Amino acid sequence: MPKTDLLDPDKITANLKTRCIGKKVLVYNSTSSTNDVAAEYAKNKKNNGMAIFAEHQTKGRGRADNKWFSRPADSLLCSVILTRCKLNPELLSLVCAVAVAETVASNARIKWPNDIILNEKKIAGILLESKINNRTTAYILGIGINCHQTRKSFPAELRKIATSIDIESKATCDRISLAKRLLTSIDHWLEAARTSTRKVTNRWRKLSIQLGHRVTVVFNGKKFTGNCIRIDPQKGLVLQLETGGVRFFDAAHTTIAK
Ligand code: BTN
């Protein structure tokens, strides 16, 4: 765990060329979950685009009630607040996955809905949450990117399925540069989505590991298997079911079966 890339808000915002994302950056040494901190700041609409980072989380969480564990200063743990986002959540989820995949590596891929995969192992995850404040919806994009983990840093049960940037690049990444790239990428893809949904879905298609493949999902506790034929920016993943028929699965209520 190198100490040279400790997160610093001034370093992250220096020369950051974004329209909106990361205009305000906060860094916590330790907090429960950056998504919880972000939820508080999201009560004020003026905090649109604010990014919260932490070196350590005591109650980091992932999708489907999973815990998200990382040793201090090993990962990039970030939550971005969107208080004025007009995109539907399905498209927003695609935007975030594309932005994170492009940040991580040129050969990173997306496993719908929110996993980022490098060389067949998970390197990053996204937890998209929404909060209703005064009848408007604020979104929180919670992102965890594995950076300085070695194989041994992962719990035994994750060693075969998780990886980090340092492991894959055989070098030590700089989390400040990574944070800048992440904020720039989110800013870019949000703007792209505002002007053209197709730009996002086209890019998503190129990065998807599931498109054209057999996928099993769990929806409302029930398993469905089929060929992934499409992504719909409003309704989610589209499967040609083995039992017949075509069905849509939305990111909020669907998980990929193990
Ligand atoms: C997943 O893969 O299940 C999503 C993991 C998301 C983890 C990030 S770390 C920053 C933010 N704070 C959290 O508690 N979770 C997200």
Side-chain angles (χ1 to χ4, degrees):
M1 181 223 304
K3 293 286 178 209
T4 50
D5 71 346
L6 286 179
L7 299 175
D8 173 332
D10 294 334
K11 288 184 185 167
I12 294 172
T13 50
N15 286 320
L16 189 70
K17 294 185 178 56
T18 55
R19 285 175 200 83
C20 155
I21 304 301
K23 290 289 174 205
K24 288 182 220 161
V25 167
L26 299 180
V27 174
Y28 286 73
N29 194 30
S30 180
T31 186
S32 54
S33 155
T34 54
N35 270 30
D36 291 341
V37 178
E40 283 304 308
Y41 281 100
K43 289 176 182 164
N44 184 345
K45 267 197 151 192
K46 287 186 181 155
N47 290 327
N48 186 42
M50 181 189 255
I52 319 277
F53 292 87
E55 293 291 10
H56 182 55
Q57 297 183 129
T58 52
K59 282 192 184 149
R61 58 178 184 272
R63 294 187 83 237
D65 286 334
N66 287 323
K67 292 197 169 86
W68 184 267
F69 175 78
S70 176
R71 295 194 309 203
D74 257 0
S75 297
L76 197 65
L77 309 170
C78 171
S79 297
V80 171
I81 299 170
L82 301 176
T83 59
R84 299 179 200 275
C85 180
K86 301 272 187 297
L87 305 179
N88 78 72
E90 220 59 50
L91 179 57
L92 184 57
S93 166
L94 303 181
V95 163
C96 198
V98 166
V100 178
E102 287 196 347
T103 302
V104 166
S106 57
N107 54 340
R109 295 288 176 264
I110 298 167
K111 181 176 168 192
W112 184 90
N114 291 120
D115 287 354
I116 306 303
I117 306 292
L118 189 58
N119 298 330
E120 295 172 19
K121 295 196 172 87
K122 179 162 170 172
I123 195 158
I126 301 159
L127 178 66
L128 171 58
E129 294 183 318
S130 60
K131 299 278 166 202
I132 297 175
N133 300 314
N134 297 327
R135 278 182 271 148
T136 60
T137 304
Y139 293 100
I140 292 150
L141 311 177
I143 299 150
I145 304 178
N146 299 334
C147 295
H148 299 315
Q149 287 87 346
T150 60
R151 294 246 176 266
K152 282 187 186 159
S153 335
F154 292 110
E157 68 275 16
L158 294 184
R159 268 175 217 161
K160 285 200 177 125
I161 54 170
T163 193
S164 71
I165 297 186
D166 287 3
I167 292 171
E168 298 302 325
S169 65
K170 299 183 181 65
T172 306
C173 73
D174 174 34
R175 290 181 307 144
I176 304 274
S177 313
L178 193 70
K180 282 172 171 291
R181 293 212 309 275
L182 176 65
L183 299 177
T184 307
S185 186
I186 294 172
D187 194 80
H188 167 83
W189 282 107
L190 278 172
E191 183 59 20
R194 232 176 37 80
T195 54
S196 156
T197 300
R198 199 165 274 268
K199 275 188 200 158
V200 180
T201 50
N202 282 346
R203 188 71 185 124
W204 184 92
R205 269 187 219 113
K206 292 213 167 72
L207 297 176
S208 167
I209 60 167
Q210 292 144 314
L211 197 63
H213 293 276
R214 187 175 188 263
V215 174
T216 301
V217 299
V218 181
F219 179 80
N220 274 346
K222 214 178 142 198
K223 279 189 178 179
F224 295 86
T225 300
N227 185 29
C228 173
I229 53 172
R230 201 154 61 80
I231 190 74
D232 184 289
Q234 301 206 334
K235 297 187 199 157
L237 202 70
V238 190
L239 297 189
Q240 172 74 60
L241 296 178
E242 288 182 352
T243 50
V246 168
R247 196 168 161 154
F248 296 80
F249 295 92
D250 72 309
H253 301 99
T254 312
T255 53
I256 300 296
K258 291 204 174 85

